[in-house]
Amino acid sequence: MDIKQDLITLFQQNTSVLESGSGKILNNYREQAFRDFDKLGIPTSKNEAYKYTPLDKYMQGNYDMELNANPFKIDLQDIFKCDIPELDTQVVLVLNGFFYSVNQTEQLPEGVVVCGLNEASVRFPDLFHKHYSHYADTSADGIVALNTLFAQDGVFVYVPANKTVEKPIQIINLSHSYKNLRITRRNLIVAGENSRVNLVVCDHTLCQQSYLANSLTEIYAGRNAVIDYNRLQNENHLSIQINNLFVHQEENSRFTSNNISLHGGLIRNNVYATLNGPHSETNLYGLFLSDDKQHVANYILVDHASPNCTSNQLFKGILDDDATGSFNGKILVRKDSQKTQAYQKNNNILLSTAARMNTKPHLEIYADDVKCSHGATVGQLDMEAMFYLRSRGIGEKESRHLLMYAFANEIVSKISIPVLKDRIIELVDKRLRGELSRCSNCDIRCG
Amino acid sequence: MLEIKDLFVSINGKEILKGISLEVKAGEVHAIMGPNGSGKSTLAAALAGRDDFEITNGSVTYMGEDLLEMKPEERARKGLFLGFQYPVEIPGVSIVNFLKTALNELRKFKGLEPISASDFLKKMREKKDLVGLTTNLANRSVNEGFSGGEKKKNEIFQMAMLEPRLAILDETDSGLDIDALKTVANGVNNLRRKDNATIIITHYQRLLEHIIPDFVHVLYKGRIVKSSGKELALELEEKGYEWMENETE
């Protein structure tokens, strides 16, 4: 089965429906995306960046696609309620890739916009002309081209200059269908000068189907902007999610992401952070806990395109059973980016002999006055520490748990929203004990 | 309390202990001395249940039960404690949580309810004072960033918290300055009772100036070659281990 040709045919047959339902600016990019996708196709293992995650293999299978928003007449507010009531957020629901609703718990500061992407593309053409598809390069990756080709909707967040959004904005990606479903999500987050915003993004698969989600988020951080991006990945084990995150940072801005992968059949996270203005800082943290036949891959490119910038990458993984994973972290320091500080660390624990982890740190440095470091480890639990704990009366299982929890906690403890941190600590704790770590209202049949 | 009979232990096929026999009764303090490489730490770790050893012969009875059949945690729950020569740093595991978990495992084994948060904190304060540990333990990971002396004091502090019946202190004196040595010795002396026993493993005699043993044994090339009263320690200090070599050959 030629998956590329199938997707091209799918697009050609549905171009008019796709375009009639989308704003002009979204349509403007399809032609280029088509050419790029036609040229690049779906990444295979021959593509160095996808060596351990051959998407052409994972994306096989029959999937339906929804061309219109909301074909299900279901009351999401009724069936879905986030079970962290203390997590006082502005909740944005997205159903099968289409913006569904926003539940505002307080008046947003003047000028702040949280709405559907398609709607926004019509309401805010200037912002879209300036930012939409400017950071995501369709010519570099077929998956990015594919997303742009089919992009119809998603979430748009705009925080104007000098505004602070106190409450986190929580985007919940819901998947609901009675057939396997292909989903395209496209988000754009624009944070103006001196603005601050916290984002929390979660998943919920409400049915036992396989969902193949191609998500792409572009984030623009203006001068002095501070953005926190917390991503909790928790889908059923039949699901495949491919996430592309493009972050473009101006002078003195700070972007911090915490990516926690708990459940999901295949999770591929590509993060491209461009430090475009001096003294900007990017912190990329990630944790994944995988078992069964799960595959979790993190691919990072931090581009130091300005001097005096700082970047930190810390990614950790625990793999059990037949789980496989990969980490591919690249730091690019351009010629004039002097006084760069760039750090990268990737630590992994294998709990079974069948689990496999591939890790590849990659530094490409053209400036001469820089501080860079990288390190990667793949190992087992520390047996000396195990014996120490057991010699104090703590059982083998509990000792393992304490050590795994400590390993994971280095990432979780970096989450800046206390109630979210507590909740994720709980989910990680349950996950490490081998229990389902879904939110309590989620349909467990999904498992 | 503890009866070791003709114990042989190998590591990776190499025989380290070659027939150890030793009896320790409640209320006693035994010192095991010997040069480096004589098998002292192997004996301590084998008693605590390290599983990278192979026990090729002999038996160990503890409180009337076969010790060698028990997992390390079972030994601990039944009151055996090993003070480590090299306490392990465990980043990310808070010392408070670790000790509370350990204490509650011991309590569960005795059929007791988990200790309340306030009782636990009170007990921590008391025992810290008792063993002279001044390190602030709040928000610290197990042994992480502790100095050598702090690590050793922390072992004695854990011993005070867990109140073992039989404590085996493996080179607890090594690397300590004289003040820290006295603190550690005071801690051990304060915990001495009629119904518990202590085995002190040491290279040097100096700790035994502060903790007076009832018996001193000399371990040499995997065997106990001499056992006597506390005066043996002084004799060893004076004459060195070469003397022992000449005595045994």
Side-chain angles (χ1 to χ4, degrees):
Chain A
M1 189 167 76
D2 187 345
I3 182 163
K4 178 180 134 189
Q5 195 49 52
D6 286 355
L7 287 163
I8 284 176
T9 309
L10 187 69
F11 176 74
Q12 284 168 333
Q13 284 171 350
N14 297 289
T15 311
S16 61
V17 187
L18 271 171
E19 296 203 330
S20 65
S22 307
K24 193 166 146 271
I25 298 170
L26 304 191
N27 291 333
N28 282 348
Y29 288 90
R30 291 192 215 279
E31 203 183 308
Q32 181 64 43
F34 184 89
R35 282 199 298 272
D36 289 333
F37 181 68
D38 191 31
K39 193 174 142 202
L40 298 164
I42 301 291
T44 69
S45 57
K46 286 183 192 140
N47 184 317
E48 184 60 28
Y50 288 89
K51 193 172 169 190
Y52 302 106
T53 315
L55 288 183
D56 59 327
K57 301 232 164 32
Y58 284 104
M59 288 171 70
Q60 302 283 352
N62 286 319
Y63 289 90
D64 277 15
M65 191 175 75
E66 290 173 2
L67 292 159
N68 296 295
N70 202 11
F72 291 102
K73 293 297 161 213
I74 52 171
D75 187 349
L76 282 186
Q77 310 288 3
D78 192 42
I79 63 165
F80 178 79
K81 221 164 54 202
C82 181
D83 76 342
I84 327 177
E86 315 80 40
L87 184 59
D88 190 4
T89 57
Q90 316 273 345
V91 175
V92 185
L93 296 182
V94 177
L95 175 62
N96 299 344
F98 292 92
F99 172 80
Y100 189 86
S101 67
V102 53
N103 184 17
Q104 289 189 2
T105 52
E106 66 169 7
Q107 191 67 41
L108 288 165
E110 202 189 334
V112 173
V113 180
V114 180
C115 70
L117 181 94
N118 191 36
E119 176 196 338
S121 74
V122 178
R123 279 172 61 196
F124 308 100
D126 292 351
L127 286 171
F128 271 67
H129 279 304
K130 199 174 162 203
H131 300 292
Y132 180 77
S133 214
H134 278 235
Y135 315 118
D137 182 0
T138 55
S139 69
D141 187 337
I143 282 297
V144 174
L146 185 65
N147 182 283
T148 308
L149 188 61
F150 283 98
Q152 282 184 283
D153 206 4
V155 178
F156 174 71
V157 176
Y158 175 59
V159 186
N162 307 312
K163 298 290 180 191
T164 295
V165 185
E166 296 286 350
K167 286 187 186 178
I169 296 169
Q170 185 181 13
I171 299 170
I172 301 172
N173 294 314
L174 299 164
S175 303
H176 183 286
S177 68
Y178 301 108
K179 284 183 174 171
N180 292 348
L181 195 66
R182 181 187 307 283
I183 293 169
T184 302
R185 296 187 201 112
R186 182 81 178 210
N187 306 311
L188 177 62
I189 318 287
V190 177
E193 279 188 27
N194 302 309
S195 68
R196 289 184 85 107
V197 62
N198 274 327
L199 297 152
V200 179
V201 184
C202 330
D203 308 306
H204 273 270
T205 40
L206 297 170
C207 304
Q208 211 175 350
Q209 308 301 327
S210 170
Y211 299 98
L212 198 172
N214 180 338
S215 298
L216 194 156
T217 301
E218 291 177 286
I219 297 183
Y220 172 83
R223 274 183 56 218
N224 303 320
V226 179
I227 304 175
D228 262 34
Y229 183 81
N230 298 287
R231 181 79 178 92
L232 181 63
Q233 299 176 323
N234 212 4
E235 292 195 322
N236 70 35
H237 278 201
L238 295 171
S239 285
I240 293 167
Q241 55 168 298
I242 304 151
N243 300 287
N244 278 284
L245 176 65
F246 292 86
V247 185
H248 187 89
Q249 293 185 240
E250 300 295 4
E251 184 177 348
N252 208 36
S253 63
R254 192 171 79 223
F255 175 78
T256 303
S257 93
N258 274 287
N259 193 96
I260 314 286
S261 313
L262 293 177
H263 286 282
L266 170 100
I267 300 175
R268 168 79 186 199
N269 299 311
N270 297 334
V271 181
Y272 303 87
T274 303
L275 295 158
N276 194 54
H279 299 284
S280 50
E281 177 184 328
T282 195
N283 302 302
L284 307 174
Y285 306 124
L287 170 70
F288 70 89
L289 311 174
S290 59
D291 57 8
D292 200 2
K293 290 184 164 50
Q294 273 189 273
H295 179 81
V296 181
N298 284 294
Y299 179 89
I300 315 293
L301 170 58
V302 176
D303 181 354
H304 280 263
S306 278
N308 293 295
C309 294
T310 304
S311 68
N312 292 294
Q313 297 176 45
L314 176 60
F315 283 80
K316 295 184 124 181
I318 301 179
L319 301 90
D320 202 354
D321 302 334
D322 299 315
T324 54
S326 75
F327 173 79
N328 197 326
K330 182 169 167 182
I331 297 168
L332 169 62
V333 183
R334 293 182 190 266
K335 192 165 156 273
D336 296 323
S337 300
Q338 301 297 357
K339 306 282 179 197
T340 286
Q341 294 191 55
Y343 307 104
Q344 182 193 85
K345 209 166 87 175
N346 174 233
N347 304 118
N348 306 283
I349 291 179
L350 303 179
L351 297 176
S352 72
T353 48
R356 286 276 175 281
M357 181 69 198
N358 292 289
T359 173
K360 185 183 167 195
H362 185 168
L363 305 183
E364 211 175 298
I365 300 169
Y366 299 102
D368 49 20
D369 184 13
V370 301
K371 269 189 203 160
C372 293
S373 72
H374 67 88
T377 59
V378 180
Q380 280 79 40
L381 285 177
D382 179 353
M383 293 320 286
E384 294 293 321
M386 275 294 286
F387 179 62
Y388 192 78
L389 294 170
R390 293 178 71 189
S391 79
R392 297 300 181 249
I394 302 171
E396 188 176 359
K397 212 173 144 193
E398 190 64 27
S399 297
R400 282 166 70 91
H401 182 78
L402 275 173
L403 293 180
M404 287 193 287
Y405 180 78
F407 179 82
N409 196 44
E410 191 183 355
I411 303 290
V412 180
S413 64
K414 293 183 188 296
I415 294 170
S416 61
I417 305 166
V419 285
L420 180 68
K421 179 160 77 183
D422 292 348
R423 178 61 180 152
I424 289 180
I425 285 173
E426 211 179 300
L427 288 173
V428 166
D429 190 68
K430 277 168 84 177
R431 182 73 173 97
L432 290 174
R433 287 181 195 280
E435 296 165 24
L436 271 172
S437 53
R438 294 180 194 293
C439 302
S440 61
N441 63 337
C442 190
D443 193 337
I444 291 297
R445 284 175 306 154
C446 295
Chain B
M1 178 178 281
L2 182 77
E3 198 173 1
I4 307 173
K5 275 190 190 158
D6 203 25
L7 186 69
F8 283 74
V9 175
S10 300
I11 304 177
N12 298 327
K14 190 173 180 243
E15 205 162 65
I16 307 289
L17 298 182
K18 303 166 186 171
I20 302 269
S21 295
L22 179 68
E23 194 183 350
V24 179
K25 295 197 176 83
E28 293 176 349
V29 174
H30 290 245
I32 297 177
M33 300 182 71
N36 290 332
S38 58
K40 305 190 297 290
S41 287
T42 303
L43 176 62
L47 292 176
R50 260 193 101 105
D51 57 8
D52 42 6
F53 297 140
E54 200 189 340
I55 297 183
T56 51
N57 191 40
S59 67
V60 182
T61 311
Y62 170 67
M63 313 280 297
E65 289 181 81
D66 182 357
L67 185 76
L68 302 177
E69 284 296 307
M70 298 178 204
K71 293 177 181 169
E73 57 268 32
E74 290 168 343
R75 300 178 197 208
R77 289 168 194 167
K78 289 179 178 171
L80 192 139
F81 178 90
L82 173 65
F84 281 62
Q85 182 179 5
Y86 303 108
V88 185
E89 294 195 16
I90 313 180
V93 174
S94 98
I95 184 141
V96 174
N97 187 28
F98 157 67
L99 267 177
K100 204 169 171 182
T101 308
L103 191 62
N104 282 333
E105 290 280 2
L106 265 51
R107 289 176 67 90
K108 191 164 96 189
F109 183 77
K110 290 178 190 159
L112 298 171
E113 292 290 308
I115 192 165
S116 74
S118 60
D119 285 351
F120 179 74
L121 289 175
K122 198 173 142 216
K123 185 167 179 144
M124 286 237 312
R125 271 198 304 276
E126 276 173 24
K127 301 298 181 183
K128 270 181 76 174
D129 288 348
L130 183 72
V131 303
L133 181 71
T134 51
T135 315
N136 182 14
L137 298 178
N139 301 319
R140 295 289 295 270
S141 292
V142 176
N143 292 319
E144 191 185 34
F146 283 31
S147 70
E150 279 178 321
K151 282 181 184 167
K152 295 299 176 75
K153 282 187 206 166
N154 188 29
E155 293 293 291
I156 304 302
F157 166 62
Q158 289 177 40
M159 173 177 150
M161 287 296 288
L162 302 175
E163 297 167 320
R165 284 170 180 273
L166 174 64
I168 303 161
L169 304 178
D170 186 8
E171 304 257 359
T172 301
D173 52 336
S174 64
L176 294 185
D177 62 34
I178 188 67
D179 290 333
L181 187 80
K182 278 183 186 163
T183 313
V184 165
N186 280 338
V188 175
N189 288 330
N190 285 335
L191 295 168
R192 245 174 121 161
R193 292 201 315 261
K194 276 203 176 74
D195 59 349
N196 64 18
T198 311
I199 298 173
I200 294 167
I201 290 174
T202 182
H203 188 91
Y204 302 105
Q205 179 267 343
R206 59 176 197 160
L207 181 64
L208 305 179
E209 287 171 13
H210 304 281
I211 308 171
I212 309 298
D214 300 301
F215 300 94
V216 176
H217 312 275
V218 179
L219 189 60
Y220 187 74
K221 290 187 177 168
R223 290 189 185 88
I224 289 179
V225 292
K226 203 171 174 78
S227 295
S228 186
K230 62 186 178 201
E231 64 285 349
L232 180 59
L234 285 169
E235 203 172 345
L236 270 176
E237 185 80 358
E238 209 176 292
K239 298 180 180 167
Y241 288 110
E242 294 85 15
W243 161 69
M244 194 49 56
E245 197 166 353
N246 298 333
E247 286 269 297
T248 54
E249 275 167 10

